[in-house]
Amino acid sequence: MGESTSNEGSATTDAIALPNRDPSDVTRIKPTAAKRVQAHRWRKRLGLRCLTVRVNNRTVRHLISTGYLSLESREDAAAVAIALEAWIYDNVT
């Protein structure tokens, strides 16, 4: 019990040694929650809302027939979302 260890270059919190700084080869990754909050604030500044929309096959066929969506990308959810967003922008504004 009388032994002491050297924690040079570290801080102690509740008897746990923590490094004062990260090694130069460590890259910090932003947590997923922080990324979601940042995206939410960015959309809010632009006056945008993020919604979930259910699209049936009839709507997908309409996007294809009007040229907003290619036949090859009809199963790609991101492509359908982009096509629907473009259709809304062109027909509502």
Side-chain angles (χ1 to χ4, degrees), residues 2-87:
E3 295 179 24
S4 65
T5 58
S6 174
N7 287 329
E8 189 175 317
S10 63
T12 304
T13 305
D14 296 333
I16 299 171
L18 303 172
N20 283 336
R21 63 196 135 159
D22 291 331
S24 60
D25 62 337
V26 173
T27 303
R28 289 279 182 182
I29 298 173
K30 188 179 281 192
T32 305
K35 289 180 182 179
R36 280 195 306 268
V37 169
Q38 186 177 27
H40 168 75
R41 290 178 180 160
W42 176 77
R43 286 189 301 267
K44 187 175 180 180
R45 279 193 299 272
L46 294 176
L48 301 174
R49 295 182 191 186
C50 189
L51 304 171
T52 300
V53 179
R54 291 186 176 100
V55 180
N56 59 25
N57 287 333
R58 181 177 176 226
T59 305
V60 173
R61 285 193 308 266
H62 177 74
L63 292 171
I64 292 169
S65 68
T66 54
Y68 287 94
L69 183 64
S70 71
L71 188 61
E72 296 81 28
S73 59
R74 69 182 179 271
E75 297 297 326
D76 181 12
V80 173
I82 291 168
L84 185 60
E85 183 179 359
W87 184 89

